[in-house]
Structures are given as structure tokens and as C-alpha cells.
Amino acid sequence: MRNLLARWDVTPVEKAELSFPSQVLLVNVRRIEPACLLGIFTKSAEILGGFTSTLRLVEIPLAIFFLLMTQAIRRGASRRRSIAFVAAFLTLTLLMTQFNVAALGAQGRLTSAYPLMLLSLALLFVVPPRVMLAGTSMLFASYCAIVWRIEAGVAEKFVAIENTGLTSIIAVVAATLIHSNRQRDHEQQRQIRRQNDALRDRNAELDALMAITAHDLRSPLHGIRNLFDLAMRRAGHDTALPLRVLEQTIASVDGMLALVTRLLDAHAAEQRPLTAIAEEDVRGVVLGAEARVAPLARSAGVAVEIDLPPRPLVAICDVAALGQMLDNLLSNAVRYSPAAAVVTITARRDHERIVLSVRDRGPGVAGSQLRRLFMKFQRGAAPAGDAAPGTGMGLFIVATLAARMDATIRHEPAPGGGASFVISLRAA
């Protein structure tokens, strides 16, 4: 039974991969097979029971034809052909049932074959409500025309039309409920998948955080412990040694504080509200960021050049957040630039946007890193002369703050080598 359900419905994998319209179409194509098998069985039983007519010679071969065509459609037909195939099957099945009603009506008998067939198909297939309403309305009109020509009493005709009308309404309601329940189930499963993906990403972030924190804290802590051990063993022979040890541990402590500060900055970028968004001249923000990076640039032998227009560049931004974004971009640019290189900061107006650019002459960004460049904990190789890579949080902080200010950040390869990061802000 489970294999039959899998053959005549969609599997969990298909539910996860396919859109809702594709799922509905796939279900309908697969449901033609049991419908044809049931039709062949019932018509054959009627013939064996002595109920014969010319239509039986058409209905059984037609059911066999659709059964064979279903196998071909399932192997891979276009969406348009699949829709046409399902529509043709449903329409022909209901029209053939109406012909049966007309054939029996010629003998003075009225049957309930058409309402039963309509209700059966409405329960077996998943038809969009609008399509079901339109198709049922047209078929009901043709059914009324057939019944009205039958040689039967007016009351009997009225009852047949009334019952078929009620059945048509029930069929539309049933199709609506089936379709909406399927759609609701699809939306719930998609939401669950999104939540599962978010949980997996969160777990991956926590794993990366633990790995980076443990790795980046272990080395300076080992160094501090070794220095303290050395001071304790040789303090009696060298009275100035403890002071030198304390001086050397400052660098290790600064490194650990920098790591913790960067992690806190990333958390603040995600959680802290930006309450100071206003119209600001970004030229002052650029000059402030250049002044803050100047000591780092001098120690690395890197020059920082600024290209600003003489007129104000007023953008809608949070000054503190924009300054933090520029600090991260400039420190990365200086860190990855070789000695005697130049880091360039430019600012200009581009229609309704204010565009800031930070360009370095370093090794640039590898193509394999571009897709995840602004994601959390994405660390590139350490630049020459730098023993350890960064925390992988700088560009994530930049992208997070940009999104919260309705700004954008993108990477552009710099002509002649290096990398260029472009911030685009709304102009006032």
C-alpha cells in the first residue's frame, strides 16, 4: 500500500524540492493511472454482467490509451503538455459519462452516473478552485441540455438537474478544501524547512565561534602561562624579569581583548537599534575614519589617500555605524596591502545615491570566497607578515550595518590588482 501511495502521490523528497504548482501537476498526472485502472475494471465488469453498448468499445481502449500515455508523461514531459494531458483526461471522462447518460436516456432511463463520476474525480484529483468552478459550470450546462432532451417526465428531469447541480457545488467545495489543505501543508513544510535551515546555520555559526575562539585564545594564553612559569622559576636570579614578563603579556592580552571586542561588535551590529539615522555629510565621517586608521597605516608603511568633492555629500545614515563600517574596511585594506602601497578612499554622488569606495592594492579576493564574503566567520588567508588570520567578522559587521541603514555593500575587483569595497547610501 505504501508503494502505491508513493506511486500515486508525491514523495517527501519531491515535496521538499518542488513548488506547489509543480506538486499539484505531478499528483494529477500520477492519479490518472489509478483512475484508468478503475475505469477498465468497472467497464469490463459491466460487459461481463451483460451490460453492453457501443460506448464500451470506445471507453476501454480510451482508458488503455491514457494509461499508456501516463507512463510516457511521467518519464518527462513539458509542463504545458502535462497540463493539457490532465485537462484532456478529466474533460473526456466527464463528457463520456454524459454520453452514457444520453444513451440511457434514449431508452427512457435517467441515471446518476455523471454526478457520481464528477464527485469521484473531484476527490481523486487536486484541481485549483477557479479551474474546477469554470469546468464544472460548463459541463453542468451541457448536462442540463442533454437531460432536457431526454424523453422523461418534467419532475424527473428537474430532480436529475437539481441533484447534479448540488453535486457540482459539493465537488467545487471539495476541490477547494483539498487544494487549500495541500497548499497549507506545503507552506507549513516550507516554513519548517526554513526554520531547520536557520537552526543548521545557527549551529554552524556556534561551531565556528567555538573553534575560532578556542584557537585564537589558546595561543596567547599558552604564551602568558609560559611567561609566568619562566618568571616564577627565575625571579630569584633576575629581579627585573617579572616586569619584563608583564610588559610582554600586554600584547597577548590586547589580542584577546580585540577578539572579544570584535565578537561583541558583531552581536551589537545584529541586535543594537540604530537610533541616530539622520541626514549627514559623509565627508566628515570619511575624514574621521582616515584619522583613526592613520597609526596602523604608518606602522605598516601604507599610505592612505582621500578623494572627496568640495561640495557636501549629504546621505541618510547613522554616523557611528558608517564610521564603524569604514573602520573595518580601512583596517582590512591596510592589513592586506604590501608595504609602500596606497589605500584610496573616494566619495561621490551617483544620482540618488552617495557612493563610498575603499580600494587597496593587495592580493584581492579569491573567486571561491566571493559567495560567502560577507557571511559570519569567513576568514581569508593571513596576509604576508601576519601570523594569524582575522576573526572573520569584519565584513559581516559591515554588511549587517549596511542592511540596517538601507544601504548596500559590494565587492568589485580593482583594475591592476587588489580589491574595492563600495558602500551605497541613500542621498538626502
Side-chain angles (χ1 to χ4, degrees):
M1 179 63 69
R2 184 177 299 177
N3 292 335
L4 290 178
L5 290 176
R7 181 175 178 82
W8 296 338
D9 210 303
V10 288
T11 64
V13 175
E14 291 168 337
K15 286 183 179 180
E17 294 178 350
L18 297 177
S19 64
F20 179 68
S22 298
Q23 286 185 34
V24 169
L25 180 58
L26 186 59
V27 167
N28 288 334
V29 169
R30 291 177 176 179
R31 294 285 172 86
I32 291 178
E33 182 180 80
C36 290
L37 292 174
L38 186 61
I40 293 172
F41 172 77
T42 55
K43 302 308 177 185
S44 300
E46 290 174 2
I47 293 175
L48 293 176
F51 183 77
T52 59
S53 70
T54 307
L55 284 175
R56 295 294 177 273
L57 301 178
V58 177
E59 289 173 331
I60 293 180
L62 192 61
I64 295 174
F65 168 77
F66 273 103
L67 182 63
L68 296 176
M69 285 298 298
T70 301
Q71 314 310 313
I73 294 292
R74 290 179 64 155
R75 282 195 293 268
S78 66
R79 178 177 178 81
R80 185 173 298 178
R81 289 185 178 181
S82 299
I83 293 174
F85 179 69
V86 173
F89 173 80
L90 294 176
T91 304
L92 284 175
T93 300
L94 291 172
L95 287 176
M96 292 295 292
T97 307
Q98 289 187 3
F99 291 156
N100 276 322
V101 172
L104 290 173
Q107 303 174 14
R109 293 181 294 170
L110 277 174
T111 70
S112 58
Y114 174 73
L116 290 175
M117 179 62 72
L118 176 62
L119 191 57
S120 300
L121 294 180
L123 296 175
L124 182 61
F125 290 84
V126 183
V127 184
R130 292 182 179 179
V131 175
M132 188 68 180
L133 179 61
T136 303
S137 299
M138 291 186 292
L139 289 168
F140 178 69
S142 66
Y143 176 82
C144 292
I146 290 174
V147 170
W148 204 252
R149 292 189 179 94
I150 292 176
E151 295 295 334
V154 175
E156 189 176 359
K157 294 179 183 179
F158 178 78
V159 170
I161 292 174
E162 181 185 33
N163 290 338
T164 303
L166 291 175
T167 304
S168 300
I169 294 174
I170 294 173
V172 172
V173 172
T176 302
L177 293 175
I178 292 172
H179 188 273
S180 62
N181 286 336
R182 283 255 180 183
Q183 191 169 26
R184 189 182 304 112
D185 178 66
H186 172 74
E187 293 296 331
Q188 290 175 347
Q189 291 186 0
R190 188 170 65 174
Q191 183 177 0
I192 292 172
R193 286 195 299 272
R194 286 198 299 264
Q195 293 172 346
N196 289 337
D197 291 342
L199 288 174
R200 280 195 296 268
D201 292 341
R202 196 65 175 174
N203 287 335
E205 287 182 1
L206 291 175
D207 291 341
L209 173 62
M210 293 177 62
I212 289 174
T213 305
H215 177 272
D216 291 356
L217 291 180
R218 182 175 58 181
S219 295
L221 286 173
H222 271 304
I224 291 173
R225 190 194 184 287
N226 292 335
L227 288 172
F228 283 171
D229 183 61
L230 176 65
M232 292 176 63
R233 286 188 290 105
R234 301 187 58 184
H237 304 286
D238 187 353
T239 57
L241 180 61
L243 181 60
R244 293 200 302 271
V245 166
L246 290 175
E247 291 175 348
Q248 292 176 20
T249 57
I250 290 177
S252 297
V253 173
D254 288 343
M256 291 187 288
L257 285 174
L259 171 63
V260 174
T261 300
R262 187 55 61 90
L263 294 175
L264 291 175
D265 287 344
H267 178 74
E270 289 183 292
Q271 306 296 333
R272 186 178 60 204
L274 301 181
T275 58
I277 294 180
E279 297 181 1
E280 300 287 347
D281 185 355
V282 300
R283 297 181 304 169
V285 185
V286 172
L287 292 173
E290 187 273 337
R292 289 189 295 271
V293 82
L296 177 64
R298 282 195 298 270
S299 64
V302 175
V304 179
E305 294 182 352
I306 301 178
D307 181 11
L308 298 176
R311 302 182 63 181
L313 292 174
V314 182
I316 300 174
C317 64
D318 183 302
V319 170
L322 181 59
Q324 188 177 1
M325 293 165 63
L326 290 174
D327 288 345
N328 284 323
L329 293 178
L330 286 171
S331 61
N332 277 352
V334 170
R335 187 166 172 257
Y336 280 91
S337 293
V342 177
V343 171
T344 306
I345 316 171
T346 62
R348 59 184 173 84
R349 185 183 182 103
D350 185 8
H351 301 291
E352 300 302 318
R353 309 292 292 183
I354 302 298
V355 180
L356 308 177
S357 174
V358 177
R359 177 187 173 184
D360 64 54
R361 271 73 173 179
V365 180
S368 58
Q369 297 177 334
L370 290 175
R371 187 174 64 87
R372 302 176 63 85
L373 187 60
F374 295 99
M375 298 181 68
K376 196 179 292 186
F377 305 124
Q378 300 306 307
R379 308 202 296 183
D386 195 342
T391 59
M393 302 297 288
L395 292 179
F396 168 77
I397 292 173
V398 172
T400 301
L401 292 174
R404 299 185 66 192
M405 287 194 298
D406 195 21
T408 61
I409 175 70
R410 67 181 185 272
H411 164 267
E412 295 179 350
S420 177
F421 288 90
V422 180
I423 300 173
S424 177
L425 303 159
R426 284 187 298 150

